[in-house]
């Protein structure tokens, strides 16, 4: 079957909501980005602090790392809510564009979802197992979970960045926007 090109839209093809669609999406995206950056950075910082505490034997580092993770738990929930609002806004206000993007990235959207659930699971395991895995050789298991959390979060960011780079400088598509390359060319 022939590849479908990008939609050719006019202003009247977009729903009117009484406010600027661009502003709604921009605010949702910007707030999601702020919180996502925090949620990505703090666990990296926490892992280093926890490792220093384990190596030095000073429980104050471990306590401080755990306190930082308390903040992250709330920020993660806010990030997920803002991400859901962003997705809802994009699909509601730009349905043809999002249908096109879903065709372009196809299975990669499922990879993103799987990474999101993996990061969520690892975040909750990391936080709620802190006391049980605090001492002895169990600390290595806890640090490994923290490392997995950071790998999942960083990989999630890389996938999302691939979508943004495609929108900024598309490759792997012809002049009509039809996909002609592999997923690696697209990202």
């Amino acid at each position: 079957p022939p590849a479908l090109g990008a939609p050719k839209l006019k202003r009247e093809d977009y729903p009117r909501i009484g406010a600027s669609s661009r502003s709604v999406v921009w605010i949702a995206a910007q707030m999601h980005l702020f919180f996502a950056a925090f949620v990505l950075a703090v666990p990296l910082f926490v892992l280093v602090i926890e490792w220093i505490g384990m190596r030095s034997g000073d429980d104050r580092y471990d306590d401080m790392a755990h306190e930082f993770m308390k903040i992250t738990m709330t920020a993660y929930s806010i990030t997920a809510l803002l991400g859901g609002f962003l997705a809802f806004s994009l699909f509601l206000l730009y349905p043809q564009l999002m249908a096109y993007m879903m065709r372009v990235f196809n299975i990669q959207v499922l990879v993103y979802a799987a990474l999101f659930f993996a990061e969520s699971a690892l975040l909750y395991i990391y936080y709620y197992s802190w006391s049980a895995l605090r001492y002895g050789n169990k600390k290595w298991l806890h640090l490994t979970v923290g490392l997995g959390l950071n790998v999942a979060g960083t990989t999630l960011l890389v996938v999302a960045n691939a979508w943004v780079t495609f929108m900024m400088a598309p490759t792997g598509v012809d002049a009509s926007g039809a996909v002609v390359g592999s997923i690696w060319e697209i990202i």
Side-chain angles (χ1 to χ4, degrees), residues 24-132:
V24 169
V25 169
W26 174 73
I27 290 168
Q30 192 64 54
M31 293 306 295
H32 178 64
L33 257 175
F34 286 151
F35 279 91
F38 182 83
V39 167
L40 183 66
V42 172
L44 289 167
F45 181 63
V46 165
L47 187 66
V48 171
I49 294 171
E50 184 183 14
W51 182 79
I52 291 170
M54 188 206 60
R55 299 290 293 167
S56 69
D58 189 343
D59 282 344
R60 292 180 300 171
Y61 287 101
D62 203 74
D63 292 338
M64 180 173 59
H66 191 241
E67 290 297 318
F68 277 120
M69 281 309 294
K70 284 182 185 176
I71 298 165
T72 303
M73 297 304 286
T74 303
Y76 192 80
S77 297
I78 294 169
T79 304
L81 288 170
L82 289 167
F85 179 68
L86 174 60
F88 177 76
S89 299
L90 284 167
F91 280 99
L92 178 70
L93 301 173
Y94 298 97
Q96 295 92 343
L97 170 68
M98 292 310 293
Y100 171 71
M101 294 300 286
M102 296 298 286
R103 281 195 317 270
V104 168
F105 288 102
N106 198 352
I107 197 78
Q108 201 181 53
V109 176
L110 296 175
V111 170
Y112 182 86
L115 284 166
F116 172 74
F117 287 117
E119 182 186 27
S120 297
L122 289 167
L123 176 73
Y124 285 103
I125 291 167
Y126 186 60
Y127 179 73
Y128 287 109
S129 68
W130 204 290
S131 295

Side-chain angles (χ1 to χ4, degrees), residues 129-152:
S129 68
W130 204 290
S131 295
L133 302 177
R134 187 168 181 165
Y135 298 106
N137 287 333
K138 292 178 183 177
K139 187 53 140 177
W140 284 107
L141 177 59
H142 194 255
L143 285 166
T144 302
V145 172
L147 181 63
L149 165 63
N150 284 292
V151 168

